[in-house]
């Protein structure tokens, strides 16, 4: 099923009732990248449902209120899908949380105080090609400007050519490529490309 003629509503913040849907959508989008670390699926969904921050995202909703897409971001107060060590222990146990936390830290420990950081954009399969991704990026740009940022940044993996094409079209410029080396076997991709868009 695909959407035709449907105009999504873009809003800041995730309605609490949609937390499980947001966790599923995020996992569908990033499970290929994080599956070796946050999997198996049932544990990953428990963890994401527990940690996602409703105030650190913009969402796209259908006229009936279904979640069509979401775009998370990071701030000094945390990230959309970050969580704390206590959250990881609650889901994965002591040993399972130790190595998972180390792997995730390696992947996302960098901070950037100068640019607004995107923490994942995902669009439901039935909503792809309907402009949802473009609308979510626009909402993030508005959020970034409201917070006083002059540019917005994201990282896209080398295997996600569909997202890379969208970001190129929307004016993002690749500024750096970081290769994973042996870690590529854990995360399922070989490199992450940093892309930046200047805001008017």
């Amino acid at each position: 099923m695909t959407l035709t003629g449907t105009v999504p509503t873009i809003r800041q913040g995730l309605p609490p009732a949609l937390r499980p849907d947001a966790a599923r959508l995020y996992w569908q989008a990033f499970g290929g990248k994080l599956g070796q670390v946050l999997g198996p699926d049932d544990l990953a969904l428990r963890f994401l449902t527990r940690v996602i921050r409703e105030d650190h995202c913009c969402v796209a909703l259908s006229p009936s209120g279904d979640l069509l897409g979401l775009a998370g971001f990071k701030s000094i107060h945390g990230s959309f899908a970050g969580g704390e060590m206590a959250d990881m222990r609650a889901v994965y146990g002591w040993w399972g949380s130790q190595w998972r936390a180390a792997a995730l830290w390696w992947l996302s420990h960098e901070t950037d105080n100068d640019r607004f950081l995107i923490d994942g954009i995902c669009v439901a399969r039935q909503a792809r090609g309907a402009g949802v991704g473009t609308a979510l990026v626009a909402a993030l740009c508005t959020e970034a400007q409201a917070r006083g940022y002059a540019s917005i940044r994201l990282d896209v993996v080398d295997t996600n050519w569909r997202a890379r094409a969208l970001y190129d079209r929307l004016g993002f410029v690749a500024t750096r490529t970081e290769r994973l080396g042996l870690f590529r076997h854990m995360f399922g991709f070989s490199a992450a490309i940093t892309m930046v868009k200047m805001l008017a």
Side-chain angles (χ1 to χ4, degrees), residues 93-116:
W94 188 89
W95 168 243
S97 65
Q98 298 302 308
W99 70 265
R100 285 178 170 91
L104 291 175
W105 179 88
W106 185 88
L107 185 66
S108 62
H109 68 276
E110 184 182 3
T111 57
D112 189 335
N113 295 322
D114 298 321
R115 295 172 291 194
F116 187 73

Side-chain angles (χ1 to χ4, degrees), residues 37-40 43-44 46-47 50 84-102:
V37 178
L38 290 183
L43 294 183
R46 276 179 55 199
F47 178 72
R50 179 185 178 98
E84 304 291 338
M85 193 63 183
D87 298 308
M88 194 154 280
R89 286 196 194 101
V91 175
Y92 297 103
W94 188 89
W95 168 243
S97 65
Q98 298 302 308
W99 70 265
R100 285 178 170 91

Side-chain angles (χ1 to χ4, degrees), residues 22-113:
R24 280 192 295 272
L25 182 57
Y26 194 90
W27 189 240
Q28 285 171 6
F30 299 109
K33 171 182 172 182
L34 300 173
Q36 296 277 1
V37 178
L38 290 183
D41 291 352
D42 60 330
L43 294 183
L45 290 172
R46 276 179 55 199
F47 178 72
L48 290 170
T49 301
R50 179 185 178 98
V51 303
I52 53 179
R53 291 191 54 154
E54 297 162 6
D55 61 340
H56 274 57
C57 67
C58 300
V59 299
L61 304 176
S62 73
S64 59
D66 296 323
L67 184 66
L68 300 179
L70 65 84
F73 59 84
K74 297 182 180 181
S75 77
I76 60 173
H77 304 294
S79 62
F80 171 69
E84 304 291 338
M85 193 63 183
D87 298 308
M88 194 154 280
R89 286 196 194 101
V91 175
Y92 297 103
W94 188 89
W95 168 243
S97 65
Q98 298 302 308
W99 70 265
R100 285 178 170 91
L104 291 175
W105 179 88
W106 185 88
L107 185 66
S108 62
H109 68 276
E110 184 182 3
T111 57
D112 189 335
N113 295 322

